[in-house]
Amino acid sequence: MATKVLVVDDSSFFRRRVSEIVNQDDDLEVVGVAVNGQEAIDMAEKLKPQVITMDIEMPVMDGITAVRKIMATNPTPILMFSSLTHDGAKATLDALDAGALDFLPKRFEDIASKKEEAIKLLQLRVKTLGRRRLYKPLPRTVTARNAADAANPASLRTTLASKPALNNRSQANNSQASSAQNVCSASAIRASGKKYKALLIGTSTGGPVALQKVLTAFPANYPHPILLIQHMPAAFTPAFASRLNSLCQITVKEAQNGDVLQPGCAYLAPGGMQLMVERSGSFGRLKVIAGNAEMNYKPSVDITFASASKVFGGDVLAVVLTGMGADGREGARMLKAAGATIWAQDEASCVVYGMPQAVTVAGLSTHSIAIDSMAESIIKETARG
C-alpha cells in the first residue's frame, strides 16, 4: 500500500511540482494539498496522511504553528521545506523544535547537483518518514538546564520527561538489528573507569533535536572537548551552534580552522566543510577544510572519526545518533581498532535508525541507548577529568 502524503505550500507551482515528484514513485501517493497552515491542520485530521511536506512561510497560519498544532492533535511525520538563508535556518530549527522530523532545501538545485538525484532524495526522505509511527507526546515537566543538580555529574538525574517510543521497525532488517543490539538504560550503565580525552558525536536526520536533548543536560564543568558532526547545510550550522550555545551550560560554537580544543566546549562541524583533528597541546587542534568534492557528506562523520583515531587513539567515546545512511561506520571502525569506546542510539528512539544500525550491526558499538538516557550515560562514563 502506498504511503499517503499531504503537500502543504501556498505556491501553486511548488505544490504541483512536489505532488508530481511524490506521485512518480509507486510507493507514494499524494492524497491532498493545502495552501496554508490552517488547511493543513484540517486536512491532517480528515485525511490521516502518513507524511506531510510543509512550507514555513504561508498566509493565514505559518508552517511552524501548523506543525505544533498537528503534533498535538494528529502526530504525523513532517518534512519541512526551507530556504538556505540565516532566517530560513532559524525558522527550520524552530519547526524541528515544534515536532517536524526532517527538512530539505526548497530549491531543488540545492538538494543535489543533478535533478534526478534531487528527485530520488526527496522520494527517499518521504518514504523513510512514512515508516514512522508517532504518538501524542507527554508534557515536558522539567528541563535538564533547570535541574538543581545539573552541575553535579555524580548525581545527575534524567530530568526530561520520557517521550513515547517511536516505532522505526524495518521488517527487512528487524531480526538482524535486534540481535546485534544491547539496549541499555542509563541506570544500567556502569562506568568503566577509563580516562578519556574527547567526546565525539555524529548524527544526521533527527540530529538537531537529539543533540539539543543530550547537550542541554551537560554541566558547565564537563571535562572534555566535544566534536559534533551533524549533516547540515552551510547556511544552517552558524544558527544551530548559536541556538545550542544559548540553551546549554557548556559552550557551543561553530568550529573554525585552528581552534585549540578546550574542555567543556562543543565544536560543531561547519556545513559544506570537513572537520579534522591535529595534534597540538593537551587536547589537539581543529583543521577545517573543503575536502574532496566527491564526498557524499560535508561534513562527514567518517572523516572526523578517522582523524580523531590518529590523535586520541583509544581515549575517545564516540556516539552515533539518529541518521540516514551509514556515515560514521568506517570512522568508528578505525576508532574501535585504536581502542576507543563506541555507543549508538537505540532503534526505538531514532527518527531514522540507519547510522546507529550501521555501527551496531557491524559489531562496533558496545551499547545501544535511548536518547532520553544518553546524556546521563555519557556523563557517567566520561565525568573523570
Side-chain angles (χ1 to χ4, degrees), residues 229 231 255-257 269-277 286-304 307 327:
I229 310 94
H231 295 167
Q256 294 181 313
N257 190 53
M273 305 294 283
Q274 299 296 356
L275 181 66
M276 304 177 70
V277 188
L286 295 180
K287 184 177 182 180
V288 177
I289 61 174
N292 191 326
E294 296 180 359
M295 288 293 299
N296 289 330
Y297 303 110
K298 294 182 181 180
S300 165
V301 181
D302 277 331
I303 286 179
T304 305
S307 71
D327 186 29

Side-chain angles (χ1 to χ4, degrees), residues 179-190:
S179 64
Q181 280 192 314
N182 178 19
V183 181
C184 298
S185 64
S187 60
I189 297 292
R190 296 290 180 263

Side-chain angles (χ1 to χ4, degrees), residues 151-170:
N152 183 358
S155 64
L156 184 76
R157 300 189 303 269
T158 302
T159 55
L160 291 174
S162 298
K163 294 197 304 184
L166 303 180
N167 181 0
N168 191 34
R169 300 283 177 182
S170 169

